[in-house]
Amino acid sequence: MTDDLDNIEDFEAKETAGKLPIGWLILFWGLIIWGVYYFIAYTPGISGWSQAKAYEESVRK
Amino acid sequence: MSAYQYDHQTIKGFIISSVFWGVVGIIIGLWISIQMWQPSWNVAPYFTFGRLRVVHTNILGFGFGVGAIFGLNYYISMRLTKRPLLFPKLARFHLYLFNTAIALAAVSLFAGMNQSLEYAELEWPLDIGIVVLWIIFAVNLFGTIIKRKEEQMYISLWYIIATVIAVAVLYIVNNLSVPAGLFKSYSLFAGINSANVQWWYGHNVIGFIFSTPILAMFYYFLPKSTGLPIYSHRLSIISLWSLVFAYLWTGAHHLVYTPLPDWIQTLAIVFTIFLIAPSWGSVVNGFYTVAPDWSKMRTNYLTKFFIFAITFYGLQTVQGPTQGLRVVSQLIHYTDWVPGHVHMGTMGWVTMTVCASIYYVIPRIYKTEIYSVKVANSHFYLVLIGQLIFSVSMWITGIQQGALWKAVTPEGTLKYTFMETLVKNYPFWQMRTVGGLIFAAGMLFFVYNIAMTIRSGNAISGPASKGVR
Amino acid sequence: MAGDIYKKPVMFAIVSTAVILIGTAVTMFIPMMTAQMHPRIEALKPFTPLQLAGRDIYQREGCNNCHTQTVRPLRTEVMRYGEYSKAGEFAYDRPFLWGSKRTGPDLARIGKKYPDAWHYRHFENPRKFFQESNMPAYGWLKENNLDPGDVKGHMDVLGFSYSEEEISLLQERNELDALVAYVQVIGTSIPRRRAVRTQGKTTTAEIKNPLAGNQAAIIAGRDLFEENCSDCHGEDAEGDIGPSLIDDVFLYVEGDLADDDYFELINNGTEEGHVEEGRTMKGGMPAFVGDMSREEMWSVISYIRYLKNKQEGKNRDG
Ligand code: HEM
Ligand code: HEM
């Protein structure tokens, strides 16, 4: 069978070619939303949080 | 048929070279794993831990990993474009240059020529050699694809193209340096900027050597060896683009809590967490592909390899992003947890996929069948057990170490000296050596199986016959 | 439209390149063009020829495979290693040597922590100090002389200034000298900030040793001394890398000091040039604030007093 040519058609299922599992979609969008939150919460220019401040706080305790 | 014969010889050359470097790298891996609990195994000056560790990572990443990538992706491209390579002689030259470069790389690292950039340790003359290698690969690959006899490009080809481009950009930028003699150079970048460039490179070179080209193999060899078609075309498209897009933002997750500006770290963490989705796109696609017929796990020995490999990839791509989070990083960063992560990826995902792909390709090139499925199964279980022992023991000791470093007494002083925390690693480091030995034994079964298959293929010589079983 | 790209390899390659370059530009290229990526602390000095030669050896031997060089801004980490790393400390590092694995301790604040002699002896055989250390021995570096021509060339490439004298002096130095010189300069552009280390500790109300003469404390103190101090001060505190603790000289001035001065010195370590009770330190005594509890420190002091009394007794008798 070595030199039989590959048939591209055989590689991909036809009925499910356009499917996106719902669980995966939730994951995809969920992570994007979380990313927006995290970016806002931990960017010094936006929220004022900074590594150095967090350190000072932890020492003061 | 003979049009392919010459190229097949080249591909076989790459595969055998890759396996050879794999064996060398694993032996060195065992050696450094022993040095970590038995310092008398350091032999100055050439074989101390500091020098050997980079030989281990370079030989396995660039000798074993990249050798397999070149060979198997040449094979995949030929199959998918339905034609031999456009420049067969160039590919052969590529093979010779590859082995020369890796041999010189090993020697130069033993000799201590080291840029101290992780996964870009090689000094500048070798860097030039590596870039030439990738250019040859790119030329041959693009040439062959452009002159293809099949209009549609299958998923694997997308991943290969993206790989070649990314590696070129990454490798060239990170290695920019000012030579100070033939064997020494100083980076063009300094201080925190050099850190940022290095880990932009470092994370992505892992991504574009240990993820995308391996995914190219996965997407090709999984349907070929199971006969089951890939579940969703659309899912693979979205996964590809979001993976390639997001990957490049994430380098700074290796620099959490360093003096790198906070916003770069935060941005990197955002994209790091997002990476779970595109990675799991491939994982889900893999599982759903085999889902219609799980009995293949029993009846087809290669299915096992691919499904376990993609499972480890799935675990790896949840664990990795989690490690990027500040709360997690502060505990596990710099500890042995990270080598645990690394080896689940390299042993569980990369090596399994590569070995399974080689099991598929070698018999086809030699027009025979695999020498022994039994031996392949033993190989499978040994590498699986070896890897699990390795990773699990590193995770345990890594978390322990992180916790001990942070432990304070009620009085507010540190509870443990550094030595006290170091000593607690020793039993786990010994366990890792045991795991490594089991893994190495598994790989010997693999080498034996491939060697015997090649022998029977040579013996038969001639058009396809049944082979021995 | 979109489907076509999977039939056009050149187009596909161009689009992938663009996609790859977006994140690259935002997180790497663009920041590189701004000043925030090129900070420099004023006190930071370029490497001298000897230090640079040492740094080259550090790279050659792959010390960064076991040692990091960044202290993170985390409470316990600062306690263990010292002030957390600042962006401007690394301006002359080409490349940075932060590392990614702490098989050995962080070295970002190693400079001046110990005396040179400690390092020579430690490199010769780390197991002499820490029986269970897995650090390779590097005594063999002594055998290799430096090549002044090479070092000079490297200084030129980096554009660091040097005098011809510094270069010619390298003739008599070996690789171990260079490595020690480099190790001693790491992280020294930031003052050691003894105050931070002291926090919460020497606000002690005790001025007298609560465990003075306590038999159990002396025994405990002996073990602690052997573990933590004898490498530098000698088996019987008679002096070695660090000064004798059983003579009547304290910080190079005749006349002993009280227990609370001992406590403070052990707690905080010493720092070159710092003056305490009119006595000037030379530096090299590490701080034990992170490693020993208050009780342990008092026990060690009781033990030192015990040794001292014994010695004085001997002196009287003989
Ligand atoms: C018998 C098998 C193996 C053994 C015993 C082994 C052992 C080791 C050891 C001891 C380290 C150093 C960890 C440290 O510094 O704490 C290491 C690092 C590494 N190894 Fe392996 N290894 C093996 C197989 C492999 C394979 C097959 C690959 C890749 C294909 C690989 C890739 C790496 C990489 C990339 C690192 C660097 C990790 C980091 O920087 O955190 N290893 N290995
Ligand atoms: C989405 C996927 C992944 C993400 C986000 C990710 C994330 C990370 C992070 C955050 C670290 C740094 C840990 C630390 O030092 O604290 C790391 C280290 C590492 N990861 Fe992953 N990982 C992923 C997948 C993989 C895969 C598939 C491999 C394949 C082998 C891999 C190999 C490595 C290696 C070799 C290192 C060590 C780097 C070094 O310090 O030298 N990772 N990863």
Side-chain angles (χ1 to χ4, degrees), chain B residues 26 29-30 32-33 36 49 53 56-57 60 64 118-119 210 336 338-339 342-343 346-347 351 390 432 436 439, chain C residues 100-101 103:
Chain B
I26 287 170
L30 288 170
I32 58 174
S33 82
M36 287 188 76
F49 181 86
R53 189 187 195 269
H56 171 67
T57 57
L60 283 168
F64 171 67
E118 266 184 85
Y119 315 119
F210 285 157
D336 278 90
V338 180
V342 171
H343 289 86
T346 54
M347 293 171 148
T351 308
F390 190 138
R432 162 171 58 197
F439 179 88
Chain C
S100 65
K101 177 80 206 299
T103 300

Side-chain angles (χ1 to χ4, degrees), chain C residues 37-271:
Chain C
M37 294 305 278
H38 309 279
R40 177 155 82 220
I41 280 181
E42 237 164 86
L44 184 70
K45 290 198 218 54
F47 296 105
T48 65
L50 189 62
Q51 291 161 357
L52 182 68
R55 192 174 193 273
D56 291 346
I57 293 160
Y58 189 97
Q59 286 190 267
R60 186 185 75 198
E61 298 310 325
C63 309
N64 53 311
N65 286 309
C66 282
H67 290 289
T68 56
Q69 282 191 26
T70 29
V71 180
R72 296 176 289 177
L74 302 171
R75 195 165 61 96
T76 45
E77 194 145 323
V78 172
M79 282 164 67
R80 190 179 293 280
Y81 299 115
E83 185 63 23
Y84 68 85
S85 296
K86 305 293 186 302
E89 290 184 65
F90 305 97
Y92 297 113
D93 282 7
R94 287 179 190 272
F96 77 117
L97 293 175
W98 293 351
S100 65
K101 177 80 206 299
R102 272 183 197 154
T103 300
D106 185 87
L107 298 181
R109 296 283 173 245
I110 189 71
K112 300 276 163 59
K113 178 180 169 190
Y114 301 123
D116 286 359
W118 186 92
H119 286 293
Y120 280 97
R121 230 179 276 175
H122 180 253
F123 283 131
E124 191 84 47
N125 182 9
R127 262 133 328 268
K128 182 165 178 303
F129 289 155
F130 303 100
Q131 219 163 40
E132 293 176 288
S133 171
N134 64 358
M135 170 158 154
Y138 288 100
W140 56 274
L141 290 173
K142 273 201 320 275
E143 319 291 326
N144 304 342
N145 289 323
L146 293 174
D147 180 342
D150 260 5
V151 180
K152 188 172 166 168
H154 295 176
M155 292 294 283
D156 289 336
V157 166
L158 290 167
F160 294 163
S161 58
Y162 56 86
S163 65
E164 286 306 323
E165 197 196 339
E166 279 178 297
I167 299 291
S168 62
L169 277 178
L170 296 179
Q171 215 109 44
E172 293 127 48
R173 299 306 201 85
N174 60 45
E175 292 190 339
L176 193 56
D177 297 328
L179 188 62
V180 171
Y182 170 62
V183 166
Q184 289 288 40
V185 78
I186 298 175
T188 51
S189 64
I190 296 258
R192 287 189 80 89
R193 285 243 307 237
R194 300 169 77 240
V196 171
R197 305 180 140 244
T198 318
Q199 228 169 34
K201 200 63 184 299
T202 47
T203 50
T204 165
E206 303 148 332
I207 3 177
K208 279 250 169 54
N209 183 352
L211 299 174
N214 179 323
Q215 207 54 44
I218 292 174
I219 292 171
R222 186 185 57 202
D223 292 344
L224 288 162
F225 186 88
E226 259 162 33
E227 199 179 307
N228 297 295
C229 324
S230 60
D231 291 336
C232 287
H233 290 287
E235 284 307 318
D236 300 310
E238 74 282 11
D240 186 355
I241 293 173
S244 162
L245 305 183
I246 51 177
D247 58 10
D248 215 26
V249 177
F250 194 98
L251 287 175
Y252 323 107
V253 175
E254 198 76 36
D256 206 359
L257 291 181
D259 281 2
D260 62 328
D261 294 310
Y262 271 77
F263 186 95
E264 210 189 302
L265 187 135
I266 297 165
N267 192 67
N268 298 347
T270 68
E271 187 184 331

Side-chain angles (χ1 to χ4, degrees), chain B residues 225 235 372 377:
Chain B
S225 53
L235 185 55
S372 160
N377 282 334

